[in-house]
Amino acid sequence: MSEFSDSYHLRTDDTAKGRALLRRAGLEGYIHPAAQGWVSICPEGMPFEPNTQLIDANTGVLVHYVFGEHHAWGCEIYQGPELITRHEVSWDPELAVLHTLSPSAFDAVAQTTLAQLPQEDLQRLLHPTTLEDIHTFKPASVFAQAIGLPHYAWRAFDYLWREQELGQPLPDGAQLVSKLIKIHAALA
């Protein structure tokens, strides 16, 4: 089975802020406990598309990470609901860099050191020229590790939901955050 990952990462050491973001957005989703300055979130919604409900409810620094093993990878960083920079590379059917990330803009918002990667690695990350760059260098993983994302591989709402439905334990302390349903009843 090919990996398809679609997750969001809130820049915080407070897991409760990830839970609060899902609730403000009115979404169900899975969160991982804060680690390395990130709370990983897998919200319900259309995979591989920006989740506008989550983004519109965001008040912090939020990274959207996507990876389709045989297709593409990309990321976006938001400060509040504002898109700061994004990156997208597709190799289905041909290798193409569709959007190029600004490492300095990313680092300024996320407080990371992506721009300090060795120049050769940064070039392969942002401008792969061959499929070998994709399959051996693995730019999506290099990116995630460079910014310290703890939970990104094989992370998506559908994967976690399926594991839970099959009675399997959720990975790495992930927890389901259910939608809050407001019921208004007129009592006679």
Side-chain angles (χ1 to χ4, degrees), residues 4-163:
F4 289 95
S5 294
D6 184 356
S7 54
Y8 290 81
H9 306 272
L10 185 63
R11 190 58 149 158
T12 182
D13 287 318
D14 185 354
T15 304
K17 289 184 179 180
R19 190 174 295 109
L21 174 56
L22 280 170
R23 291 200 169 130
R24 278 194 313 275
L27 295 170
E28 186 168 88
Y30 295 89
I31 61 168
H32 289 82
Q36 298 172 212
W38 297 101
V39 171
S40 300
I41 304 168
C42 296
E44 66 178 320
M46 180 63 74
F48 305 105
E49 296 292 329
N51 188 317
T52 56
Q53 278 182 261
L54 190 73
I55 294 163
D56 288 346
N58 180 43
T59 59
V61 173
L62 185 68
V63 172
H64 182 205
Y65 171 90
V66 295
F67 175 69
E69 186 174 359
H70 298 291
H71 305 282
W73 91 272
C75 65
E76 297 136 4
I77 185 166
Y78 298 88
Q79 188 163 31
E82 180 186 347
L83 175 66
I84 302 302
T85 186
R86 67 181 175 165
H87 192 71
E88 185 178 2
V89 177
S90 174
W91 50 93
D92 183 20
E94 294 179 12
L95 182 60
V97 177
L98 305 172
H99 301 281
T100 302
L101 182 87
S102 166
S104 58
F106 188 96
D107 287 345
V109 172
Q111 299 175 351
T112 56
T113 57
L114 190 60
Q116 293 177 15
L117 283 173
Q119 191 59 39
E120 181 181 329
D121 290 352
L122 199 54
Q123 183 65 26
R124 290 176 79 186
L125 174 74
L126 299 176
H127 303 286
T129 57
T130 67
L131 289 178
E132 183 177 338
D133 282 342
I134 300 296
H135 298 298
T136 59
F137 181 69
K138 302 183 186 229
S141 289
V142 168
F143 167 80
Q145 291 169 12
I147 67 166
L149 296 183
H151 309 289
Y152 63 92
W154 295 91
R155 294 298 191 266
F157 180 86
D158 291 341
Y159 283 151
L160 296 170
W161 180 84
R162 191 175 310 117
E163 286 179 12

